[in-house]
Amino acid sequence: MAVTIKDIAREANVSITTVSRVINNKNEGVSKETKDKILQIMKRLNYRPNSVARSLVTKKTHTLGLILPDITNPFFPDLVRGVEDTANIYGYNIILCNTDDDIAKEKTYIKVLKEKCIDGIIYTSTIKSENQNVKMLLKYEIPFVMLDRLIDIKGVPYIYADGESGMYEIIRYLIENNHRRIAYISGPMTNHTAIQRFEGYKRAMAEAGLSPDGDLIMEGNYKMRSGYECMSEILKKKKKFTAVACANDLMAVGALECLRESGMKVPDDISVTGYDDIYVSNVVTPKLTTMAQPTYEMGCLAARILIKSIAEENHEKEVKLRPKLVIRESVAKI
Ligand code: RIB
């Protein structure tokens, strides 16, 4: 049977409050001999503070909530690894909440984390990027940071990679390989990351004097199946195009599958690019040219900034990182 704070108080013939003050090093009102007596009894009885009981006093659980939208997407595990490694360095644990891009599930998780008295939350929204749940976080007054998927709210730190310049760069790369009719499979346009990347696509096309053809632009949902379906819809339009840029790697893999099934060779007939540089992009055939997001670094920064925010120390309010072009085999010069 574990020794409790009550056992210590009884043995030392003092109140539980006195023992709690000594455990939490708040010694006002406790004489030195009483404190020494309590410490000796704790040592003799091998007392271990109960973390839940302790957190009731310190109001700190040294636990962070990490809300993510889709753990089936290999983009997110690297983000988790960065958060976890950094949280552990600072003596924090994490509770991972996968929302499956479901707003109701996300709301439930926010309530669960509040009940568990976590010290802060790292928040990556669902593809819908709803404000309602963010308003709940603000109402709960739980310190939180936004990671990767931003929602336009004041005063909340956010860490992300610059999708507009990232997609701009990969479209520039296609144009430098003489592609002019470039199809585009976007992410869900309710989401900041998808909107930013689409802006990058449009800017690169406009700067090259190319006007995007609406029949060659489809909206996906970041899942592999939607890449397949969007590619299929584009092919049905029977419009000429020589390349397709996808707003993430999973949709690019789906598009590769659709092109293969349609008897088209990549990159001989159609060049394909992705975005994220998940491990799959380096094992598919042909290996995918893509943009590598600084995913692990984003996770590390989010944890560090949140922990500084919890400690009310100075911290960055906005961190924008740059993705990097990774050239592999899925783009041909025409
Ligand atoms: O692949 C999933 C996408 O959603 C990634 O590009 C990442 O930015 C996340 O927001």
Side-chain angles (χ1 to χ4, degrees):
M1 177 86 155
V3 175
T4 68
I5 194 167
K6 214 180 277 182
D7 300 327
I8 305 294
R10 189 182 314 111
E11 183 82 12
N13 194 25
V14 298
S15 72
I16 288 175
T17 308
T18 303
V19 176
S20 170
R21 284 212 181 108
V22 170
I23 290 171
N24 293 294
N25 218 7
K26 297 187 183 314
N27 301 318
E28 64 280 357
V30 181
S31 68
K32 186 177 178 321
E33 54 274 1
T34 302
K35 178 181 174 182
D36 290 347
K37 181 171 71 168
I38 289 169
L39 290 173
Q40 277 163 19
I41 293 169
M42 282 167 65
K43 193 166 178 222
R44 176 162 50 82
L45 297 183
N46 194 25
Y47 170 72
R48 289 280 173 274
N50 170 317
S51 62
V52 173
R54 188 170 173 69
S55 65
L56 288 176
V57 175
T58 62
K59 302 277 182 288
K60 295 279 181 226
T61 56
H62 271 79
T63 306
L64 305 178
L66 173 54
I67 296 179
L68 290 178
D70 178 8
I71 51 165
T72 65
N73 182 326
F75 168 82
F76 291 103
D78 271 351
L79 218 53
V80 175
R81 174 59 70 202
V83 169
E84 186 182 42
D85 287 353
T86 305
N88 291 170
I89 290 168
Y90 284 88
Y92 281 81
N93 296 306
I94 64 172
I95 296 177
L96 174 61
C97 304
N98 171 51
T99 64
D100 283 331
D101 270 319
D102 177 321
I103 292 281
K105 201 170 171 188
E106 184 182 82
K107 187 171 187 173
T108 302
Y109 267 133
I110 292 171
K111 287 181 180 164
V112 165
L113 291 173
K114 168 79 177 161
E115 285 156 15
K116 291 199 177 302
C117 305
I118 39 89
D119 295 337
I121 291 178
I122 295 167
Y123 175 67
T124 303
S125 77
T126 66
I127 50 176
K128 298 180 189 68
S129 296
E130 280 284 315
N131 259 321
Q132 63 185 11
N133 290 344
V134 171
K135 285 186 184 132
M136 203 161 86
L137 279 169
L138 291 167
K139 189 183 75 181
Y140 283 161
E141 295 181 340
I142 302 171
F144 74 104
V145 300
M146 287 188 290
L147 172 56
D148 175 55
R149 296 181 174 181
L150 311 182
I151 293 176
D152 186 16
I153 41 165
K154 296 278 170 284
V156 177
Y158 55 90
I159 302 95
Y160 68 112
D162 184 351
E164 197 279 347
S165 69
M167 187 55 77
Y168 173 86
E169 186 174 353
I170 211 159
I171 302 300
R172 284 294 319 155
Y173 174 70
L174 287 169
I175 292 167
E176 283 150 18
N177 280 278
N178 301 327
H179 293 277
R180 295 294 177 269
R181 290 187 61 73
I182 302 171
Y184 188 72
I185 298 177
S186 84
M189 293 303 281
T190 51
N191 186 276
H192 164 268
T193 57
I195 295 165
Q196 290 290 307
R197 290 168 208 173
F198 187 50
E199 290 306 312
Y201 165 76
K202 290 191 293 185
R203 179 164 67 98
M205 294 289 278
E207 280 184 9
L210 303 170
S211 46
D213 178 342
D215 283 342
L216 298 181
I217 296 172
M218 287 288 160
E219 180 178 346
N221 64 9
Y222 279 152
K223 306 275 188 193
M224 194 181 299
R225 185 71 202 156
S226 76
Y228 182 100
E229 289 165 356
C230 287
M231 192 70 261
S232 174
E233 285 307 306
I234 290 171
L235 290 173
K236 281 179 195 159
K237 306 284 184 184
K238 303 264 183 248
K239 290 281 192 75
K240 177 152 176 41
F241 66 98
T242 61
V244 57
C246 302
N248 82 336
D249 288 345
L250 284 184
M251 294 194 299
V253 172
L256 284 173
E257 182 61 15
C258 177
L259 290 166
R260 188 186 61 76
E261 285 181 4
S262 309
M264 305 182 92
K265 286 194 176 19
V266 177
D268 308 42
D269 300 328
I270 300 286
S271 291
V272 178
T273 61
Y275 200 101
D276 284 342
D277 193 25
I278 56 175
Y279 75 89
V280 173
S281 59
N282 199 26
V283 295
V284 286
T285 302
K287 295 179 187 297
L288 197 59
T289 292
T290 184
M291 287 306 285
Q293 295 216 61
T295 315
Y296 180 81
E297 187 187 355
M298 287 160 71
C300 292
L301 278 166
R304 188 167 61 79
I305 290 170
L306 177 61
I307 290 165
K308 283 177 169 235
S309 165
I310 291 165
E312 293 174 4
E313 291 171 9
N314 278 339
H315 58 78
E316 303 88 330
K317 296 290 180 288
E318 174 187 345
V319 178
K320 178 162 69 172
L321 300 174
R322 278 195 70 87
K324 199 163 63 66
L325 177 61
V326 178
I327 297 171
R328 294 196 177 100
E329 303 163 349
S330 62
V331 172
K333 195 177 188 78
I334 53 173

